[in-house]
């Protein structure tokens, strides 16, 4: 079964630790096996590119039952964490010319990697679909600042290039990508009826890059604190909005007024002037090529038709969003430009950050760029107001401590019994004592032989075994195959049963829904 | 085939007398104790979230034991024979062949038998050799106690079957005073212990591994930090160096020349 050989060929194994990132794929969403297969296939293909700025995929394995196995993806471990961690840790570093050069080089490297992935040699290409600072991983090195790599390809989507250029590609990935860094067309599609064909093009990634690069410019120009301030300013022109764009009540899409306000303010800063400083040129690329609602005609027309969006009339000079290749070219131009040190070095303190936008003053609305960012009106008749279909298998279970805290005293006063009262004595077998000891571990898992559970429960020698055995029985009622656990008839299911912790719940082997809830008394340890 | 059987009968017949002397011995051979102790000392513990606390023997551990105790092939052979309690002064051809078989194809089977302190180790390994039971046949199918009882009663368990075949070949007379090697307790111990020796290797070449839930995953350290993404939770682990086959550059070359396969 296993390809193992105890005859170790020492030359194959270097006696050094192999630190890896192990991604445990979430259960309880769609068809996990299909999603994982897509991700692993893409990761393996992307590995072939040998791109410096893409996290190296190591391997993948499944374990556990045939029906609901656990899936694990192994990747190289990023010692520095992600881009957010970098911004936080390097916040106080002097903004030297070498730092700015390095940042531009890294951004160019990432753009180049994206460009390559978007246009693979064999005709099949991929889009990431969930680029954000948390997915740009930081690999520090001893000699310099290190390397940034794109990680978490869980939302990867394969495209056939022949069709992608014209019409995007049907989005078969689950809608879990981060909304904040997603483009407006992504949000608009989510509003469409479920049956509507949804598409995702490579331009999704370049919008996200625009968001990330803008945040990087803010960090370089100001500081981590100011970047946090920017990220907290989500009071949009049309109401609260966490994205880099806004959609009006009339379904007009435009750049978020706070984003526009910051970009406009920064562009007036001497350290961020387009054509004079690297930062200024980078900001210009963001404003004119990345955070752009309008899509290129060849990609946009079919795409918009697919989602039945109506583009407003545009003048001939209207800009459209860059593809990754164009972004790569622009960043390379900046990286190679600026013979003068002044182009890179900041040398002086930047001016203050923009004043906070308050309320919804008309004067602070989107600037003159609105003309070429004029949104995409969405006919109201295609907005779906029906509830999405609810699949119990996809439900998530959240602890509701506030509710429990409120309800508990009321129950106590009605029944005279406190639900948090600890039993005066609890009989536990050795296995259950181990259970008790390790339960606080977030990854707690324990295996019982069903024979032990059954015997202890029937003999009443262990209260915990009684409860666990009762859980087996409850599951058996709802799931015929577990019936064998209960009645002890032969087959594989009469041997053992495992209980695994999933947040505040315990799941039984091969079940998705929790079988027990972990209750913690106020100020007391569980159990 | 006939000669094979004759050979097998001869081997097993000789083992009857050896086994009797092995059984009568009060103390185990020193080599056995030494190997047993060193194996226990070499065990690692999995810290993987789902197999936390499970022991496993790193795949290079036995090789290290051999390297430190035996210089050449003949010393290695002698070491294995000594562990099985075979007199080294004049090892037979059969014993030498048995040692080679263990070293070549049945190291894990042998180590499981050592780990469960199987009393008739020599006889058991001969049975495995005759039946050509090798490491690649592990894990032996796990039976519940109830099912095992039934299987033993009906002579359905593979270990019991291989023993019964040899007993029949040797004839009833020789078997009267001989205890069975494989019984419910020994098989149950073998079933439980085998997983210690089956910790898998993580390989950049194998992208479609499917591990049994009883297989200890050879992660030996775990960082308390974890990050949560849209699609899963990421943990930092260290893979035991003997369980990681890093052939990344080889992978790139292979994939560049061949289509990538992923059997869903």
């Amino acid at each position: 079964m296993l390809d193992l050989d105890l005859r170790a060929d020492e030359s194959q194994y270097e006696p050094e630790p192999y630190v890896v990132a192990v991604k445990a794929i979430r259960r309880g969403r769609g068809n996990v096996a299909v999603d994982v297969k897509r991700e692993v296939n893409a990761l393996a293909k992307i590995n072939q590119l040998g791109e410096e700025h893409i996290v190296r995929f190591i391997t993948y394995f499944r374990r556990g039952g045939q029906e609901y196995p656990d899936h694990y993806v192994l990747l190289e471990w990023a010692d520095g964490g992600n881009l957010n961690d970098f911004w936080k840790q390097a916040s106080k570093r002097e903004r030297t010319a070498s730092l700015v050069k390095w940042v531009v080089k890294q951004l160019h490297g990432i753009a180049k990697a994206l460009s390559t992935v978007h246009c693979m040699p064999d005709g099949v290409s991929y889009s990431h679909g969930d680029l954000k600072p948390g997915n740009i991983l930081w690999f520090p090195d001893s000699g310099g600042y290190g390397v940034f790599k794109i990680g978490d390809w869980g939302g990867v989507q394969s495209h056939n290039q022949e069709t992608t250029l014209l019409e995007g590609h049907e989005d078969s990935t689950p809608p879990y990508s981060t909304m904040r860094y997603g483009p407006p067309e992504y949000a608009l599609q989510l509003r469409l009826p479920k049956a509507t064909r949804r598409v995702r093009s490579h331009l999704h990634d370049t919008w996200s890059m625009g968001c990330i690069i803008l945040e990087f410019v803010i960090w370089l120009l100001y500081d981590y604190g100011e970047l946090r301030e920017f990220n907290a300013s989500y009071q949009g022109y049309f109401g609260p909005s966490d994205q880099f764009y806004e959609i009006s009540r009339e379904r007009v899409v435009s750049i978020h007024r706070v984003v526009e306000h910051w970009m406009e303010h920064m562009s007036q800063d001497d350290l961020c002037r387009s054509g004079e400083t690297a930062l200024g040129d980078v900001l210009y690329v963001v404003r004119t090529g990345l955070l752009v609602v309008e899509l290129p005609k060849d990609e946009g027309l079919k795409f918009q038709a697919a989602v039945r969006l109506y583009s407003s009339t545009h003048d001939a000079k209207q800009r459209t969003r860059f593809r990754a290749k164009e972004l790569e070219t622009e960043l390379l131009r900046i990286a190679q430009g600026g013979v003068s040190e002044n182009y890179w070095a900041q040398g002086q303190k930047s001016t203050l950050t923009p004043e906070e936008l308050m309320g919804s003053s008309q004067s602070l609305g989107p600037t003159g760029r609105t003309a070429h960012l004029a949104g995409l009106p969405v006919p109201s008749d295609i907005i779906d107001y029906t509830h999405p279909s609810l699949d119990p298998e996809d439900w998530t279970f959240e602890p509701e401590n506030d509710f429990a805290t409120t309800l508990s005293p009321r129950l106590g006063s009605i029944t005279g019994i406190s639900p948090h009262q600890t039993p005066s004595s609890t009989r536990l077998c050795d296995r259950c004592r181990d259970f008790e000891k390790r339960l606080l571990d977030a990854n707690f898992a324990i295996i019982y032989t069903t024979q032990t559970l059954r015997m202890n429960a029937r003999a009443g020698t262990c209260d915990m075994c009684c409860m666990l055995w009762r859980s087996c029985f409850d599951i058996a009622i709802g799931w015929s195959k577990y019936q064998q656990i209960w009645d002890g008839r032969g087959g594989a299911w009469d041997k053992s049963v495992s209980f695994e912790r999933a947040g505040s719940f315990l799941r039984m082997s091969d079940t998705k829904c929790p079988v027990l809830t972990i209750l913690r008394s106020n100020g007391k340890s569980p159990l | 085939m006939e000669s094979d059987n004759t050979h097998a009968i001869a081997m097993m017949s000789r083992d009857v007398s050896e086994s009797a002397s092995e059984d009568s011995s009060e103390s185990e051979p020193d080599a056995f104790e030494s190997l047993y102790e060193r194996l226990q000392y070499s065990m690692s513990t999995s810290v993987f979230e789902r197999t936390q606390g499970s022991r496993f023997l790193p795949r290079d551990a036995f090789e290290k034991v051999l390297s430190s105790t035996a210089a050449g092939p003949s010393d290695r052979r002698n070491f294995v024979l000594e562990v099985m309690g075979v007199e080294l002064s004049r090892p037979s051809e059969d014993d030498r062949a048995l040692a080679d078989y263990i070293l070549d194809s049945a190291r894990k089977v042998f180590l499981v038998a050592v780990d469960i302190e199987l009393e008739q180790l020599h006889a058991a390994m001969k049975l495995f050799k005759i039946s050509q039971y090798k490491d690649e046949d592990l894990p032996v199918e796990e039976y519940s106690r109830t099912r095992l009882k039934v299987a033993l009663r009906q002579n359905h368990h593979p270990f019991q079957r291989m023993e019964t075949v040899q007993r029949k070949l040797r004839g009833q007379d020789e078997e009267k005073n001989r205890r069975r090697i494989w019984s419910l307790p020994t098989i149950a111990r073998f079933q439980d212990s085998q997983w210690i020796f089956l910790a898998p290797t993580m390989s950049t070449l194998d992208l479609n591994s499917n591990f049994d839930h009883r297989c200890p995953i050879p992660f030996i350290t775990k960082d308390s930090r974890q990050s949560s993404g849209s699609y899963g939770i990421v943990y930092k682990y260290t893979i035991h160096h003997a369980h990681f086959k890093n052939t990344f550059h080889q992978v790139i070359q292979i994939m560049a020349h061949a289509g990538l396969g992923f059997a869903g």
Side-chain angles (χ1 to χ4, degrees), chain B residues 104-128:
Chain B
D104 288 342
S105 322
R107 291 185 175 210
K108 281 179 279 186
V109 176
F110 175 64
L111 293 177
V112 177
V114 169
D115 188 61
I116 64 171
E117 300 178 76
L118 197 61
E119 284 185 7
Q120 301 178 60
L121 179 60
H122 187 213
M125 291 314 296
K126 279 181 183 175
L127 268 183
F128 282 132

mmCIF file of all heavy atoms in Angstrom, chain B residues 104-128:
data_model
loop_
_atom_site.group_PDB
_atom_site.id
_atom_site.type_symbol
_atom_site.label_atom_id
_atom_site.label_comp_id
_atom_site.label_asym_id
_atom_site.label_seq_id
_atom_site.Cartn_x
_atom_site.Cartn_y
_atom_site.Cartn_z
ATOM 1 N N ASP B 104 16.286 -7.688 2.521
ATOM 2 C CA ASP B 104 15.910 -7.183 1.193
ATOM 3 C C ASP B 104 14.437 -6.795 1.089
ATOM 4 O O ASP B 104 14.092 -5.793 0.463
ATOM 5 C CB ASP B 104 16.187 -8.241 0.117
ATOM 6 C CG ASP B 104 17.678 -8.397 -0.137
ATOM 7 O OD1 ASP B 104 18.429 -7.486 0.248
ATOM 8 O OD2 ASP B 104 18.083 -9.437 -0.688
ATOM 9 N N SER B 105 13.566 -7.601 1.689
ATOM 10 C CA SER B 105 12.138 -7.436 1.379
ATOM 11 C C SER B 105 11.212 -7.369 2.581
ATOM 12 O O SER B 105 10.029 -7.044 2.407
ATOM 13 C CB SER B 105 11.631 -8.614 0.527
ATOM 14 O OG SER B 105 12.570 -9.019 -0.400
ATOM 15 N N ALA B 106 11.705 -7.696 3.753
ATOM 16 C CA ALA B 106 10.748 -7.811 4.850
ATOM 17 C C ALA B 106 11.264 -7.172 6.133
ATOM 18 O O ALA B 106 11.056 -7.672 7.227
ATOM 19 C CB ALA B 106 10.419 -9.292 5.082
ATOM 20 N N ARG B 107 11.873 -6.030 5.987
ATOM 21 C CA ARG B 107 12.410 -5.353 7.173
ATOM 22 C C ARG B 107 11.293 -4.937 8.118
ATOM 23 O O ARG B 107 11.387 -5.113 9.332
ATOM 24 C CB ARG B 107 13.201 -4.111 6.765
ATOM 25 C CG ARG B 107 14.485 -4.433 6.060
ATOM 26 C CD ARG B 107 15.286 -3.177 5.774
ATOM 27 N NE ARG B 107 16.578 -3.516 5.197
ATOM 28 C CZ ARG B 107 17.674 -2.807 5.353
ATOM 29 N NH1 ARG B 107 17.645 -1.693 6.055
ATOM 30 N NH2 ARG B 107 18.801 -3.180 4.809
ATOM 31 N N LYS B 108 10.263 -4.363 7.550
ATOM 32 C CA LYS B 108 9.186 -3.879 8.413
ATOM 33 C C LYS B 108 8.443 -5.034 9.058
ATOM 34 O O LYS B 108 8.087 -4.977 10.233
ATOM 35 C CB LYS B 108 8.230 -2.997 7.603
ATOM 36 C CG LYS B 108 8.780 -1.603 7.400
ATOM 37 C CD LYS B 108 7.865 -0.740 6.581
ATOM 38 C CE LYS B 108 8.036 -1.016 5.107
ATOM 39 N NZ LYS B 108 7.263 -0.110 4.252
ATOM 40 N N VAL B 109 8.225 -6.093 8.283
ATOM 41 C CA VAL B 109 7.549 -7.275 8.833
ATOM 42 C C VAL B 109 8.366 -7.798 10.020
ATOM 43 O O VAL B 109 7.826 -8.092 11.098
ATOM 44 C CB VAL B 109 7.422 -8.373 7.750
ATOM 45 C CG1 VAL B 109 6.808 -9.638 8.340
ATOM 46 C CG2 VAL B 109 6.597 -7.870 6.571
ATOM 47 N N PHE B 110 9.661 -7.847 9.828
ATOM 48 C CA PHE B 110 10.571 -8.325 10.869
ATOM 49 C C PHE B 110 10.503 -7.421 12.104
ATOM 50 O O PHE B 110 10.386 -7.895 13.248
ATOM 51 C CB PHE B 110 11.984 -8.345 10.287
ATOM 52 C CG PHE B 110 13.074 -8.710 11.247
ATOM 53 C CD1 PHE B 110 13.125 -9.977 11.835
ATOM 54 C CD2 PHE B 110 14.069 -7.800 11.574
ATOM 55 C CE1 PHE B 110 14.143 -10.314 12.712
ATOM 56 C CE2 PHE B 110 15.088 -8.133 12.451
ATOM 57 C CZ PHE B 110 15.118 -9.391 13.020
ATOM 58 N N LEU B 111 10.525 -6.126 11.865
ATOM 59 C CA LEU B 111 10.539 -5.192 12.996
ATOM 60 C C LEU B 111 9.221 -5.211 13.765
ATOM 61 O O LEU B 111 9.214 -5.048 14.987
ATOM 62 C CB LEU B 111 10.848 -3.776 12.504
ATOM 63 C CG LEU B 111 12.264 -3.576 11.960
ATOM 64 C CD1 LEU B 111 12.448 -2.160 11.433
ATOM 65 C CD2 LEU B 111 13.320 -3.872 13.026
ATOM 66 N N VAL B 112 8.134 -5.398 13.046
ATOM 67 C CA VAL B 112 6.846 -5.508 13.751
ATOM 68 C C VAL B 112 6.890 -6.727 14.663
ATOM 69 O O VAL B 112 6.495 -6.671 15.833
ATOM 70 C CB VAL B 112 5.656 -5.625 12.765
ATOM 71 C CG1 VAL B 112 4.346 -5.811 13.518
ATOM 72 C CG2 VAL B 112 5.568 -4.403 11.871
ATOM 73 N N ALA B 113 7.420 -7.830 14.126
ATOM 74 C CA ALA B 113 7.503 -9.062 14.921
ATOM 75 C C ALA B 113 8.402 -8.868 16.139
ATOM 76 O O ALA B 113 8.104 -9.370 17.226
ATOM 77 C CB ALA B 113 8.019 -10.205 14.049
ATOM 78 N N VAL B 114 9.467 -8.093 15.965
ATOM 79 C CA VAL B 114 10.348 -7.798 17.105
ATOM 80 C C VAL B 114 9.610 -6.914 18.109
ATOM 81 O O VAL B 114 9.645 -7.133 19.311
ATOM 82 C CB VAL B 114 11.649 -7.102 16.627
ATOM 83 C CG1 VAL B 114 12.445 -6.551 17.808
ATOM 84 C CG2 VAL B 114 12.496 -8.071 15.816
ATOM 85 N N ASP B 115 8.912 -5.911 17.574
ATOM 86 C CA ASP B 115 8.239 -4.950 18.441
ATOM 87 C C ASP B 115 7.176 -5.618 19.322
ATOM 88 O O ASP B 115 6.974 -5.212 20.463
ATOM 89 C CB ASP B 115 7.595 -3.844 17.594
ATOM 90 C CG ASP B 115 7.041 -2.723 18.444
ATOM 91 O OD1 ASP B 115 7.842 -2.094 19.165
ATOM 92 O OD2 ASP B 115 5.828 -2.487 18.408
ATOM 93 N N ILE B 116 6.509 -6.632 18.777
ATOM 94 C CA ILE B 116 5.470 -7.294 19.586
ATOM 95 C C ILE B 116 6.072 -8.453 20.386
ATOM 96 O O ILE B 116 5.367 -9.216 21.026
ATOM 97 C CB ILE B 116 4.287 -7.797 18.724
ATOM 98 C CG1 ILE B 116 4.737 -8.872 17.737
ATOM 99 C CG2 ILE B 116 3.625 -6.641 18.013
ATOM 100 C CD1 ILE B 116 3.566 -9.555 17.022
ATOM 101 N N GLU B 117 7.397 -8.566 20.320
ATOM 102 C CA GLU B 117 8.131 -9.593 21.067
ATOM 103 C C GLU B 117 7.555 -10.981 20.785
ATOM 104 O O GLU B 117 7.258 -11.747 21.702
ATOM 105 C CB GLU B 117 8.112 -9.283 22.562
ATOM 106 C CG GLU B 117 8.747 -7.930 22.874
ATOM 107 C CD GLU B 117 8.689 -7.583 24.345
ATOM 108 O OE1 GLU B 117 9.483 -8.152 25.096
ATOM 109 O OE2 GLU B 117 7.840 -6.770 24.718
ATOM 110 N N LEU B 118 7.412 -11.249 19.510
ATOM 111 C CA LEU B 118 6.871 -12.536 19.081
ATOM 112 C C LEU B 118 7.798 -13.655 19.554
ATOM 113 O O LEU B 118 9.004 -13.628 19.274
ATOM 114 C CB LEU B 118 6.764 -12.542 17.548
ATOM 115 C CG LEU B 118 5.880 -13.599 16.920
ATOM 116 C CD1 LEU B 118 4.424 -13.441 17.382
ATOM 117 C CD2 LEU B 118 5.931 -13.494 15.397
ATOM 118 N N GLU B 119 7.247 -14.600 20.273
ATOM 119 C CA GLU B 119 8.087 -15.635 20.901
ATOM 120 C C GLU B 119 8.815 -16.489 19.859
ATOM 121 O O GLU B 119 9.990 -16.751 19.978
ATOM 122 C CB GLU B 119 7.227 -16.526 21.794
ATOM 123 C CG GLU B 119 6.873 -15.831 23.105
ATOM 124 C CD GLU B 119 6.125 -16.754 24.024
ATOM 125 O OE1 GLU B 119 6.000 -17.955 23.696
ATOM 126 O OE2 GLU B 119 5.653 -16.263 25.057
ATOM 127 N N GLN B 120 8.100 -16.920 18.841
ATOM 128 C CA GLN B 120 8.731 -17.794 17.841
ATOM 129 C C GLN B 120 9.128 -16.961 16.620
ATOM 130 O O GLN B 120 8.668 -17.192 15.508
ATOM 131 C CB GLN B 120 7.748 -18.893 17.461
ATOM 132 C CG GLN B 120 7.309 -19.741 18.652
ATOM 133 C CD GLN B 120 6.296 -20.789 18.229
ATOM 134 O OE1 GLN B 120 6.585 -21.624 17.395
ATOM 135 N NE2 GLN B 120 5.101 -20.717 18.800
ATOM 136 N N LEU B 121 10.000 -16.013 16.871
ATOM 137 C CA LEU B 121 10.373 -15.054 15.830
ATOM 138 C C LEU B 121 10.991 -15.751 14.619
ATOM 139 O O LEU B 121 10.622 -15.466 13.469
ATOM 140 C CB LEU B 121 11.363 -14.041 16.424
ATOM 141 C CG LEU B 121 11.892 -12.978 15.490
ATOM 142 C CD1 LEU B 121 10.757 -12.131 14.926
ATOM 143 C CD2 LEU B 121 12.882 -12.064 16.219
ATOM 144 N N HIS B 122 11.909 -16.662 14.883
ATOM 145 C CA HIS B 122 12.582 -17.358 13.795
ATOM 146 C C HIS B 122 11.573 -18.136 12.951
ATOM 147 O O HIS B 122 11.543 -18.038 11.712
ATOM 148 C CB HIS B 122 13.648 -18.298 14.396
ATOM 149 C CG HIS B 122 14.515 -18.937 13.366
ATOM 150 N ND1 HIS B 122 15.031 -20.196 13.528
ATOM 151 C CD2 HIS B 122 14.968 -18.516 12.170
ATOM 152 C CE1 HIS B 122 15.764 -20.511 12.469
ATOM 153 N NE2 HIS B 122 15.738 -19.497 11.632
ATOM 154 N N ALA B 123 10.736 -18.871 13.627
ATOM 155 C CA ALA B 123 9.734 -19.680 12.917
ATOM 156 C C ALA B 123 8.767 -18.785 12.149
ATOM 157 O O ALA B 123 8.383 -19.088 11.006
ATOM 158 C CB ALA B 123 8.975 -20.546 13.920
ATOM 159 N N ALA B 124 8.398 -17.683 12.771
ATOM 160 C CA ALA B 124 7.450 -16.773 12.116
ATOM 161 C C ALA B 124 8.056 -16.177 10.856
ATOM 162 O O ALA B 124 7.393 -16.094 9.806
ATOM 163 C CB ALA B 124 7.053 -15.665 13.088
ATOM 164 N N MET B 125 9.314 -15.777 10.922
ATOM 165 C CA MET B 125 9.950 -15.181 9.751
ATOM 166 C C MET B 125 10.126 -16.215 8.637
ATOM 167 O O MET B 125 10.030 -15.881 7.451
ATOM 168 C CB MET B 125 11.300 -14.559 10.115
ATOM 169 C CG MET B 125 11.198 -13.312 11.006
ATOM 170 S SD MET B 125 9.952 -12.096 10.492
ATOM 171 C CE MET B 125 10.560 -11.574 8.897
ATOM 172 N N LYS B 126 10.361 -17.453 9.032
ATOM 173 C CA LYS B 126 10.446 -18.511 8.009
ATOM 174 C C LYS B 126 9.098 -18.661 7.300
ATOM 175 O O LYS B 126 9.028 -18.796 6.074
ATOM 176 C CB LYS B 126 10.816 -19.828 8.671
ATOM 177 C CG LYS B 126 12.293 -19.979 8.954
ATOM 178 C CD LYS B 126 12.522 -21.327 9.585
ATOM 179 C CE LYS B 126 13.965 -21.524 9.954
ATOM 180 N NZ LYS B 126 14.155 -22.793 10.670
ATOM 181 N N LEU B 127 8.047 -18.614 8.101
ATOM 182 C CA LEU B 127 6.705 -18.709 7.503
ATOM 183 C C LEU B 127 6.477 -17.573 6.504
ATOM 184 O O LEU B 127 5.960 -17.788 5.409
ATOM 185 C CB LEU B 127 5.640 -18.603 8.601
ATOM 186 C CG LEU B 127 5.132 -19.879 9.242
ATOM 187 C CD1 LEU B 127 4.041 -19.534 10.243
ATOM 188 C CD2 LEU B 127 4.545 -20.810 8.178
ATOM 189 N N PHE B 128 6.870 -16.384 6.918
ATOM 190 C CA PHE B 128 6.691 -15.236 6.030
ATOM 191 C C PHE B 128 7.499 -15.437 4.740
ATOM 192 O O PHE B 128 7.035 -15.123 3.645
ATOM 193 C CB PHE B 128 7.148 -13.951 6.722
ATOM 194 C CG PHE B 128 6.146 -13.406 7.713
ATOM 195 C CD1 PHE B 128 6.537 -13.012 8.991
ATOM 196 C CD2 PHE B 128 4.809 -13.264 7.375
ATOM 197 C CE1 PHE B 128 5.621 -12.504 9.896
ATOM 198 C CE2 PHE B 128 3.879 -12.756 8.274
ATOM 199 C CZ PHE B 128 4.290 -12.378 9.541
#
